[in-house]
Structure formats: structure tokens, C-alpha cells
Amino acid sequence: MQSTVDGFSYGLVTPVVAFLMACLGGALGLRCATRPLVVAGSWRPGWLALGSAAIGSGIWTMHFIAMMGFTIESTPIHYDRVMTFASLAVAVVMVGVGIFIVGYRGATGTALFTGGTITGLGIASMHYLGMASMSLDGQLAYDTPTVAASVAIAMAAATAALWAAAQTRGFLWSVGASLVMGLAVTGMHYTGMAALEIHVHGTADPTAGESAAALLAPMMLGPLALLVLAGIVVIFDPLMITGRPGPVPAEHKPGIPAHPRHHSSPTHPTRLRLRARGPVEHRTRAPQNR
């Protein structure tokens, strides 16, 4: 039989907190991922990896905070530990692939489309793998068109977020990119939940796995600690927030001064040309014998 599903058992608390966590992860991750564009001389692979981990952790944390408010009438929900960890790994890896493509190829054309598509698919994969980690006395069924719409939302919004993050034009662009990323994750989540139908078996068989409170609360400590670390890095690097390009280091070579001095005045072009040619040779014409 079909059971009543409630995704807002705590009212607006879980959706709002989940959205804020998605925005936080997006803000920190996108700022770290675009740091090589903002500050010259940055170690690109390290910053892209940190950005991927922050975004993936924000996506994963947002999903399971939202799932705290998800209940099924007369049916307990348990979670499989291995698949829950796997959903976090999938989010970090797939988002990382998309960010590395944009980070090395630039946020234009094919690279932006490919990176945004892979990032959006990573968001969707994390969601549906996290849903598959649920163990309950029933069967999950999805409406295919609604699932397709949720994946399209994730891909489109992720592409827009990567494009906005690459526009190193100041703090407002960073805020806008994080809001778009939060919208991508949250919109995809609740659209996917709208596609869900639960058919309860009505048996007394116990379900395997652990409860949400026993499993998810301790598991969130790691992603939250990573988000705090990324936040500290961003706070102590003001250029990442303001979006101003850093100074390009001058190239120093032996025997070549970094700032050449010009002793001559620009008002004497003739004198400059003579100096460039070197000393003038004075030749005398020998008398010709007639």
C-alpha cells in the first residue's frame, strides 16, 4: 500500500538550514576553486581539490540535513553506512572532475558546458545514491519525468554557478555564485523528492541499517570540519573575497635589471638614435690624382 510521506516534519527548519549549508559549501568551494584566477602564483591543483571537497561536503551535508525532516507514516527509516559514505565520495569526485575541467580550460564554451554538466550529474548522483542508502519496510518508486527535471535543474544551475564564480569581479559575484549553487543543490533535492513514491509492505520484518540520528549526526562532523577549514582559509586571504587580481611576479634574469632606467630625455629623439647606433666613424676623403 502507498504510505503518507512528509518531507517537512520540522517545518521550515530543515529546508532553510539545508539551503544555507549548500550556499556555504558552494561559497567556500567556488572561492577556493577560482583562487588561481584571483591570486597570481597559486598552486592550482591543491586549490581545485580543496574547492571540490568543500562543494562535495556542502552537497552531502545539505542532503542529509534535509533528510532529517523526512518521515514515512508508521515506517522507520534506517541508513546503510557504506552507501552513505559512497554518496559523499561520489559527490566529491564528480564535482572535482567538473571543477578541474573549468579550472584548467577556462569558464568558456565547451569546457564550461562539460564541467557544469559533470558537476550537475555529481549533485544528482549524490542525491539518488543517498536515497538508495535508505532501508525501510517498503519500496521506492520514482516518476521519470520529474527525475529528469531534477537532473536538468542541477546541471543548468551548476553551469551558471561555475560561470559566475569564474567572473573575478568582486564580492557580489561570489555571493551570487554561491546562491546559485545553493539553489542548484536544494532545488534538485526537493524536485527529486517530489518524484518519490513509497509503497509500504506492511510487514513486521525489521529493516537493516542505522537510524538517522545514530548514523548521520556523527558522520557530519567530518564534512563540517572541512567546511570550517575552507572558511578559515578564505577569511585569512582577503583577495579571495574581494576578487582583485594579485600582482604578477616580475621575472628576474641575471644581468637584466627588473626596472631599467632611462637617463636620456624623450625630448631629444636625435640623441637617442645616435646612442643606439654607437660611435660615429669619421672618414676623410683622400685627394684624387688627376
Side-chain angles (χ1 to χ4, degrees), residues 49-122:
L50 180 59
S52 304
I55 295 176
S57 299
I59 294 170
W60 188 89
T61 306
M62 174 272 153
H63 173 84
F64 284 104
I65 286 178
M67 292 305 294
M68 290 287 188
F70 178 76
T71 57
I72 303 174
E73 184 182 7
S74 304
T75 303
I77 302 175
H78 293 174
Y79 290 88
D80 180 75
R81 182 181 294 270
V82 176
M83 292 193 69
T84 303
F85 272 116
S87 65
L88 173 60
V90 166
V92 173
V93 171
M94 292 194 67
V95 170
V97 172
I99 285 181
F100 267 77
I101 291 175
V102 175
Y104 277 92
R105 298 292 183 180
T108 56
T110 305
L112 180 61
F113 175 78
T114 305
T117 299
I118 295 177
T119 301
L121 290 176

Coordinates of all heavy atoms in Angstrom, one line a residue, residues 49-122:
A49 N 41.4 21.0 -5.7 CA 41.0 19.9 -4.9 C 40.3 20.3 -3.6 O 39.2 19.7 -3.2 CB 42.2 19.0 -4.5
L50 N 40.7 21.4 -2.9 CA 40.1 21.9 -1.7 C 38.7 22.4 -2.1 O 37.7 22.2 -1.3 CB 40.9 23.0 -1.1 CG 40.4 23.6 0.2 CD1 40.2 22.6 1.3 CD2 41.3 24.7 0.7
G51 N 38.6 23.1 -3.2 CA 37.3 23.6 -3.6 C 36.3 22.4 -3.9 O 35.1 22.5 -3.5
S52 N 36.8 21.4 -4.5 CA 35.9 20.2 -4.8 C 35.4 19.6 -3.5 O 34.3 19.2 -3.4 CB 36.7 19.2 -5.7 OG 37.2 19.8 -6.9
A53 N 36.4 19.4 -2.6 CA 36.0 18.8 -1.3 C 35.0 19.6 -0.5 O 34.0 19.1 0.1 CB 37.2 18.6 -0.5
A54 N 35.1 21.0 -0.6 CA 34.2 21.8 0.1 C 32.8 21.8 -0.5 O 31.8 21.7 0.2 CB 34.7 23.3 0.1
I55 N 32.7 21.8 -1.8 CA 31.4 21.8 -2.5 C 30.8 20.4 -2.3 O 29.6 20.3 -2.0 CB 31.6 22.1 -4.0 CG1 32.0 23.5 -4.2 CG2 30.3 21.8 -4.7 CD1 32.3 23.9 -5.7
G56 N 31.6 19.3 -2.5 CA 31.0 18.0 -2.2 C 30.5 17.8 -0.8 O 29.4 17.2 -0.6
S57 N 31.3 18.3 0.2 CA 30.8 18.2 1.6 C 29.6 19.0 1.8 O 28.7 18.6 2.6 CB 31.9 18.7 2.5 OG 33.1 17.9 2.3
G58 N 29.5 20.2 1.2 CA 28.3 21.0 1.3 C 27.1 20.4 0.7 O 26.0 20.4 1.3
I59 N 27.2 19.7 -0.4 CA 26.1 19.0 -1.1 C 25.7 17.8 -0.2 O 24.5 17.7 0.1 CB 26.6 18.5 -2.4 CG1 26.8 19.6 -3.4 CG2 25.5 17.5 -3.0 CD1 27.5 19.2 -4.7
W60 N 26.6 17.1 0.3 CA 26.3 15.9 1.1 C 25.6 16.3 2.4 O 24.6 15.7 2.9 CB 27.5 15.1 1.4 CG 27.3 13.8 2.1 CD1 27.1 12.6 1.5 CD2 27.3 13.6 3.5 NE1 27.0 11.6 2.5 CE2 27.1 12.2 3.7 CE3 27.5 14.4 4.6 CZ2 27.1 11.6 5.0 CZ3 27.5 13.8 5.9 CH2 27.2 12.4 6.1
T61 N 26.1 17.3 3.1 CA 25.6 17.8 4.4 C 24.2 18.4 4.1 O 23.3 18.1 4.9 CB 26.5 18.9 5.0 OG1 27.8 18.4 5.1 CG2 26.0 19.3 6.3
M62 N 24.0 19.1 3.0 CA 22.7 19.7 2.7 C 21.6 18.5 2.6 O 20.5 18.6 3.1 CB 22.7 20.5 1.5 CG 21.4 21.0 0.9 SD 20.6 19.8 -0.2 CE 18.9 20.3 0.1
H63 N 22.0 17.5 1.8 CA 21.1 16.4 1.6 C 20.6 15.7 2.9 O 19.4 15.6 3.1 CB 21.7 15.4 0.7 CG 20.9 14.1 0.5 ND1 19.9 14.1 -0.5 CD2 20.9 12.9 1.1 CE1 19.4 12.9 -0.4 NE2 20.0 12.1 0.5
F64 N 21.5 15.4 3.7 CA 21.1 14.6 4.9 C 20.5 15.5 6.0 O 19.8 15.0 6.8 CB 22.3 13.8 5.4 CG 22.6 12.6 4.6 CD1 23.6 12.6 3.7 CD2 21.7 11.5 4.6 CE1 23.8 11.5 2.8 CE2 21.9 10.4 3.8 CZ 23.0 10.4 2.9
I65 N 20.8 16.8 6.0 CA 20.1 17.7 6.9 C 18.6 17.8 6.4 O 17.7 17.7 7.3 CB 20.7 19.1 6.9 CG1 22.0 19.1 7.7 CG2 19.8 20.1 7.5 CD1 22.7 20.4 7.7
A66 N 18.4 17.9 5.1 CA 17.0 17.8 4.6 C 16.4 16.5 4.9 O 15.1 16.5 5.2 CB 17.0 18.1 3.1
M67 N 17.1 15.4 4.9 CA 16.5 14.1 5.1 C 16.2 13.9 6.6 O 15.4 13.0 7.0 CB 17.5 13.0 4.7 CG 17.7 12.9 3.2 SD 16.1 12.7 2.3 CE 15.6 11.1 2.8
M68 N 16.7 14.7 7.5 CA 16.3 14.7 8.9 C 14.8 15.0 9.1 O 14.2 14.5 10.0 CB 17.2 15.7 9.7 CG 18.6 15.3 9.9 SD 18.9 14.0 11.0 CE 20.6 14.0 11.1
G69 N 14.3 15.8 8.2 CA 12.9 16.1 8.2 C 12.0 15.3 7.4 O 10.8 15.6 7.2
F70 N 12.6 14.1 6.9 CA 11.8 13.2 6.0 C 11.3 12.1 6.8 O 12.1 11.3 7.4 CB 12.7 12.8 4.9 CG 12.0 11.8 3.9 CD1 11.1 12.2 3.0 CD2 12.3 10.4 4.0 CE1 10.5 11.3 2.2 CE2 11.7 9.5 3.2 CZ 10.8 10.0 2.2
T71 N 10.0 11.9 6.9 CA 9.4 10.7 7.6 C 8.4 10.0 6.8 O 7.8 10.6 5.8 CB 8.8 11.2 8.9 OG1 7.8 12.2 8.6 CG2 9.8 11.8 9.9
I72 N 8.2 8.8 7.1 CA 7.1 8.0 6.4 C 6.2 7.4 7.5 O 6.7 6.9 8.6 CB 7.8 6.8 5.6 CG1 8.8 7.3 4.6 CG2 6.7 6.0 4.9 CD1 9.5 6.2 3.9
E73 N 5.0 7.6 7.3 CA 4.0 7.2 8.3 C 4.1 5.7 8.7 O 4.1 4.8 7.8 CB 2.6 7.5 7.7 CG 1.4 7.2 8.7 CD 0.1 7.4 8.1 OE1 0.0 7.7 6.9 OE2 -0.9 7.4 8.9
S74 N 4.3 5.5 10.0 CA 4.3 4.1 10.6 C 5.4 3.3 10.1 O 5.4 2.0 10.2 CB 3.0 3.4 10.4 OG 1.9 4.2 10.9
T75 N 6.5 3.9 9.5 CA 7.6 3.1 9.0 C 8.9 3.8 9.4 O 9.2 4.9 9.0 CB 7.5 3.0 7.5 OG1 6.3 2.5 7.1 CG2 8.7 2.2 6.9
P76 N 9.8 3.1 10.2 CA 11.1 3.7 10.5 C 12.0 3.7 9.3 O 11.9 2.8 8.4 CB 11.6 2.8 11.6 CG 10.9 1.5 11.4 CD 9.6 1.8 10.8
I77 N 12.9 4.6 9.2 CA 13.9 4.7 8.2 C 15.3 4.5 8.7 O 15.7 5.2 9.7 CB 13.8 6.1 7.5 CG1 12.4 6.4 6.9 CG2 14.9 6.2 6.3 CD1 12.3 7.7 6.3
H78 N 16.0 3.6 8.2 CA 17.4 3.3 8.5 C 18.3 3.6 7.3 O 17.8 3.7 6.2 CB 17.6 1.9 9.0 CG 16.9 1.6 10.3 ND1 16.9 0.4 10.9 CD2 16.2 2.4 11.2 CE1 16.2 0.4 12.0 NE2 15.8 1.6 12.2
Y79 N 19.6 3.8 7.6 CA 20.5 4.1 6.5 C 21.7 3.1 6.5 O 22.2 2.8 7.6 CB 21.1 5.6 6.7 CG 20.0 6.6 6.4 CD1 19.2 7.1 7.5 CD2 19.9 7.2 5.2 CE1 18.2 8.0 7.2 CE2 18.9 8.1 4.9 CZ 18.1 8.6 5.9 OH 17.1 9.5 5.7
D80 N 22.1 2.8 5.4 CA 23.3 1.9 5.2 C 24.5 2.7 5.3 O 24.7 3.7 4.5 CB 23.2 1.1 3.9 CG 24.4 0.2 3.7 OD1 24.4 -0.9 4.3 OD2 25.3 0.6 2.9
R81 N 25.5 2.4 6.1 CA 26.7 3.2 6.4 C 27.6 3.2 5.1 O 28.1 4.3 4.8 CB 27.4 2.6 7.6 CG 28.7 3.4 7.9 CD 29.4 2.7 9.1 NE 28.6 2.8 10.3 CZ 28.6 3.8 11.2 NH1 29.5 4.8 11.0 NH2 27.9 3.7 12.3
V82 N 27.8 2.1 4.5 CA 28.7 2.1 3.3 C 28.2 2.9 2.2 O 28.9 3.7 1.6 CB 28.9 0.6 2.9 CG1 29.8 0.6 1.6 CG2 29.6 -0.2 4.0
M83 N 26.9 2.8 1.9 CA 26.3 3.6 0.8 C 26.3 5.0 1.1 O 26.4 5.9 0.2 CB 24.9 3.0 0.4 CG 25.0 1.6 -0.2 SD 23.4 1.2 -1.0 CE 23.4 2.3 -2.4
T84 N 26.1 5.4 2.4 CA 26.1 6.8 2.8 C 27.5 7.4 2.6 O 27.6 8.5 2.1 CB 25.7 6.9 4.2 OG1 24.4 6.3 4.4 CG2 25.6 8.3 4.7
F85 N 28.5 6.7 2.9 CA 29.9 7.2 2.7 C 30.1 7.2 1.2 O 30.8 8.1 0.7 CB 30.9 6.2 3.4 CG 31.2 6.6 4.8 CD1 30.9 5.8 5.8 CD2 31.8 7.8 5.1 CE1 31.2 6.1 7.1 CE2 32.1 8.2 6.3 CZ 31.8 7.3 7.4
A86 N 29.6 6.2 0.4 CA 29.8 6.2 -1.0 C 29.2 7.4 -1.7 O 29.7 8.0 -2.6 CB 29.3 4.9 -1.6
S87 N 28.0 7.9 -1.2 CA 27.4 9.1 -1.8 C 28.3 10.3 -1.6 O 28.3 11.2 -2.4 CB 26.0 9.3 -1.1 OG 26.1 9.5 0.2
L88 N 28.9 10.4 -0.4 CA 29.8 11.5 -0.2 C 31.0 11.5 -1.1 O 31.4 12.5 -1.7 CB 30.3 11.5 1.3 CG 31.4 12.5 1.6 CD1 30.9 14.0 1.4 CD2 31.8 12.3 3.1
A89 N 31.6 10.3 -1.3 CA 32.7 10.1 -2.2 C 32.4 10.5 -3.7 O 33.1 11.1 -4.4 CB 33.3 8.7 -2.1
V90 N 31.2 10.0 -4.1 CA 30.7 10.3 -5.5 C 30.6 11.8 -5.7 O 30.9 12.4 -6.7 CB 29.4 9.6 -5.7 CG1 28.7 10.1 -7.0 CG2 29.6 8.1 -5.9
A91 N 30.0 12.5 -4.7 CA 29.8 14.0 -4.8 C 31.2 14.7 -4.9 O 31.3 15.5 -5.8 CB 29.1 14.5 -3.5
V92 N 32.1 14.3 -4.1 CA 33.4 15.0 -4.1 C 34.2 14.7 -5.5 O 34.7 15.6 -6.1 CB 34.3 14.6 -2.9 CG1 35.7 15.1 -3.1 CG2 33.7 15.0 -1.6
V93 N 34.2 13.4 -5.9 CA 34.9 13.1 -7.1 C 34.3 13.7 -8.4 O 35.0 14.3 -9.2 CB 35.0 11.5 -7.2 CG1 35.5 11.1 -8.6 CG2 35.8 10.9 -6.1
M94 N 33.0 13.6 -8.5 CA 32.3 14.1 -9.7 C 32.4 15.6 -9.8 O 32.6 16.2 -10.8 CB 30.9 13.6 -9.9 CG 30.8 12.1 -10.1 SD 29.2 11.5 -10.6 CE 29.1 12.3 -12.2
V95 N 32.1 16.3 -8.7 CA 32.2 17.7 -8.6 C 33.7 18.1 -8.9 O 33.9 19.1 -9.6 CB 31.8 18.3 -7.3 CG1 32.1 19.7 -7.1 CG2 30.3 18.1 -7.1
G96 N 34.7 17.4 -8.4 CA 36.1 17.7 -8.7 C 36.4 17.6 -10.1 O 37.2 18.4 -10.6
V97 N 35.9 16.6 -10.8 CA 36.1 16.5 -12.3 C 35.6 17.7 -13.0 O 36.3 18.3 -13.8 CB 35.5 15.2 -12.8 CG1 35.6 15.2 -14.4 CG2 36.2 13.9 -12.2
G98 N 34.4 18.1 -12.7 CA 33.9 19.3 -13.3 C 34.7 20.6 -13.0 O 34.9 21.4 -13.9
I99 N 35.1 20.7 -11.8 CA 35.8 21.9 -11.4 C 37.2 21.9 -12.0 O 37.7 23.0 -12.4 CB 35.9 22.0 -9.9 CG1 34.5 22.4 -9.3 CG2 37.0 23.0 -9.4 CD1 34.5 22.6 -7.8
F100 N 37.9 20.8 -12.1 CA 39.2 20.7 -12.7 C 39.1 21.0 -14.2 O 40.0 21.7 -14.7 CB 39.8 19.3 -12.5 CG 40.7 19.2 -11.3 CD1 40.1 19.1 -10.0 CD2 42.1 19.3 -11.4 CE1 40.9 19.1 -8.9 CE2 42.9 19.2 -10.3 CZ 42.3 19.1 -9.0
I101 N 38.1 20.6 -14.9 CA 37.9 21.0 -16.3 C 37.8 22.5 -16.5 O 38.5 23.1 -17.3 CB 36.7 20.3 -16.9 CG1 36.9 18.8 -16.9 CG2 36.4 20.8 -18.3 CD1 35.7 18.0 -17.4
V102 N 37.0 23.1 -15.7 CA 36.8 24.6 -15.8 C 38.1 25.3 -15.3 O 38.5 26.3 -15.8 CB 35.6 25.0 -15.0 CG1 35.4 26.5 -15.0 CG2 34.3 24.4 -15.6
G103 N 38.7 24.7 -14.2 CA 39.9 25.4 -13.7 C 41.1 25.4 -14.6 O 41.9 26.3 -14.6
Y104 N 41.2 24.4 -15.5 CA 42.3 24.3 -16.4 C 41.9 24.8 -17.8 O 42.8 25.3 -18.6 CB 42.8 22.9 -16.5 CG 43.8 22.5 -15.4 CD1 43.3 22.0 -14.2 CD2 45.1 22.8 -15.5 CE1 44.2 21.7 -13.1 CE2 46.0 22.5 -14.5 CZ 45.6 21.9 -13.3 OH 46.4 21.6 -12.3
R105 N 40.7 24.6 -18.2 CA 40.3 25.0 -19.6 C 39.6 26.4 -19.6 O 39.5 27.0 -20.7 CB 39.3 24.0 -20.2 CG 40.0 22.6 -20.3 CD 41.0 22.6 -21.3 NE 41.6 21.2 -21.5 CZ 42.6 20.9 -22.4 NH1 43.1 21.9 -23.1 NH2 43.0 19.7 -22.5
G106 N 39.2 26.9 -18.5 CA 38.5 28.2 -18.5 C 37.0 28.0 -18.6 O 36.5 27.1 -19.0
A107 N 36.3 29.1 -18.1 CA 34.9 29.0 -18.0 C 34.2 29.6 -19.2 O 33.4 30.5 -19.2 CB 34.4 29.8 -16.8
T108 N 34.6 29.0 -20.4 CA 34.0 29.4 -21.6 C 33.7 28.2 -22.5 O 34.5 27.2 -22.4 CB 35.0 30.3 -22.4 OG1 36.3 29.7 -22.6 CG2 35.2 31.6 -21.7
G109 N 32.7 28.3 -23.3 CA 32.4 27.3 -24.4 C 32.3 25.9 -23.9 O 31.6 25.6 -22.9
T110 N 33.0 25.0 -24.6 CA 32.8 23.6 -24.3 C 33.3 23.2 -22.9 O 32.6 22.3 -22.2 CB 33.7 22.8 -25.3 OG1 33.3 23.1 -26.6 CG2 33.4 21.3 -25.2
A111 N 34.3 23.8 -22.4 CA 34.8 23.5 -21.0 C 33.8 23.8 -20.0 O 33.5 23.0 -19.1 CB 36.1 24.2 -20.8
L112 N 33.1 24.9 -20.1 CA 32.1 25.3 -19.1 C 30.9 24.4 -19.2 O 30.4 23.9 -18.2 CB 31.7 26.8 -19.4 CG 30.6 27.3 -18.4 CD1 31.1 27.3 -17.0 CD2 30.2 28.7 -18.8
F113 N 30.5 24.1 -20.4 CA 29.4 23.2 -20.6 C 29.7 21.8 -20.0 O 28.9 21.2 -19.3 CB 29.0 23.0 -22.0 CG 27.9 22.0 -22.3 CD1 26.6 22.3 -22.0 CD2 28.2 20.8 -22.8 CE1 25.6 21.4 -22.3 CE2 27.2 19.8 -23.1 CZ 25.9 20.2 -22.8
T114 N 30.9 21.3 -20.3 CA 31.3 19.9 -19.8 C 31.4 19.9 -18.3 O 30.9 19.0 -17.6 CB 32.6 19.5 -20.5 OG1 32.4 19.5 -21.9 CG2 32.9 18.1 -20.1
G115 N 32.1 20.9 -17.8 CA 32.3 21.0 -16.3 C 31.0 21.1 -15.6 O 30.8 20.5 -14.6
G116 N 30.1 22.0 -16.1 CA 28.8 22.2 -15.4 C 28.0 21.0 -15.5 O 27.3 20.6 -14.5
T117 N 28.0 20.3 -16.6 CA 27.2 19.1 -16.8 C 27.7 18.0 -15.8 O 26.9 17.3 -15.1 CB 27.3 18.5 -18.2 OG1 26.8 19.5 -19.1 CG2 26.5 17.3 -18.4
I118 N 29.0 17.8 -15.7 CA 29.5 16.8 -14.8 C 29.3 17.1 -13.4 O 28.9 16.3 -12.5 CB 31.0 16.5 -15.1 CG1 31.2 16.0 -16.5 CG2 31.6 15.6 -14.0 CD1 32.7 15.8 -16.9
T119 N 29.4 18.4 -13.0 CA 29.1 18.8 -11.7 C 27.6 18.6 -11.3 O 27.3 18.2 -10.2 CB 29.5 20.3 -11.5 OG1 30.9 20.5 -11.8 CG2 29.2 20.8 -10.1
G120 N 26.7 19.0 -12.2 CA 25.3 18.7 -12.0 C 25.0 17.3 -11.9 O 24.2 16.9 -11.0
L121 N 25.6 16.4 -12.7 CA 25.4 15.0 -12.6 C 25.9 14.5 -11.3 O 25.4 13.5 -10.7 CB 26.1 14.3 -13.7 CG 25.4 14.5 -15.1 CD1 26.2 13.8 -16.2 CD2 24.0 13.9 -15.1
G122 N 27.0 15.1 -10.8 CA 27.5 14.7 -9.5 C 26.6 15.0 -8.3 O 26.4 14.2 -7.4

